[in-house]
Amino acid sequence: MNEAAATKALERALAEYDRNSGGFFLERFLGCELSFDGEICVLSLEIEDFMFNSGGTLHGGVIAFVLDSAAGSLFKRIHGPGYTLESKIQYLRSLGRGRATCNARFLKRGRLVSFVEAVLSSPDGKPAAIATSTWHTA
């Protein structure tokens, strides 16, 4: 593991994190970058080896976090605060180093309950994981 990269990520997250800004510490720690294109949330991150599982690829928990963060960020931007009622993840391929991108979009928007799909793609643009989730307005 590249301890210097992990230490730098932790120090950056501690320096940038502001509880009042509404950002998530884990998003800062993992180096996630958020942007929006209409009703699509784009979350990208540079995959580092400190995010790997024992098999040497991106840990499934990190993948789940990225998918949920992209979906939740989209939901919050459009509907305001909410929470996940359920989520289903399909892991399609492993991910190594490089810049991964996750796009989240609504499958169906409702007044109280909405359905979101998030797709995490490898650096070469191939889908690596897909999540469908149900969100409820807080």
Side-chain angles (χ1 to χ4, degrees):
M1 176 177 75
N2 183 343
E3 290 181 22
T7 300
K8 182 179 177 182
L10 178 60
E11 289 173 349
R12 179 190 63 237
L14 289 169
E16 293 177 359
Y17 179 70
D18 176 6
R19 183 180 306 251
N20 298 321
S21 72
F24 293 111
F25 179 81
L26 281 175
E27 285 179 349
R28 304 274 194 276
F29 177 62
L30 295 176
C32 298
E33 296 177 9
L34 282 172
S35 63
F36 296 91
D37 182 10
E39 288 193 5
I40 296 174
C41 176
V42 180
L43 186 153
S44 62
L45 76 155
E46 191 69 32
I47 300 170
E48 300 286 350
D49 66 356
F50 69 84
M51 301 173 193
F52 287 176
N53 58 27
S54 61
T57 60
L58 188 61
H59 190 281
V62 175
I63 292 170
F65 173 79
V66 168
L67 293 163
D68 187 63
S69 289
S73 295
L74 175 64
F75 186 86
K76 182 179 179 184
R77 181 176 176 94
I78 302 299
H79 288 287
Y83 52 91
T84 312
L85 291 173
E86 64 81 33
S87 183
K88 176 187 184 274
I89 301 172
Q90 295 174 294
Y91 297 93
L92 306 175
R93 66 174 34 88
S94 61
L95 290 171
R97 288 184 172 272
R99 188 144 197 91
T101 303
C102 183
N103 292 302
R105 67 180 182 87
F106 285 101
L107 295 173
K108 182 175 188 266
R109 286 180 49 196
R111 190 174 55 79
L112 292 177
V113 176
S114 294
F115 303 89
V116 179
E117 176 186 68
V119 179
L120 179 64
S121 298
S122 63
D124 61 0
K126 295 178 181 174
I130 299 172
T132 54
S133 54
T134 308
W135 290 78
H136 194 282
T137 304

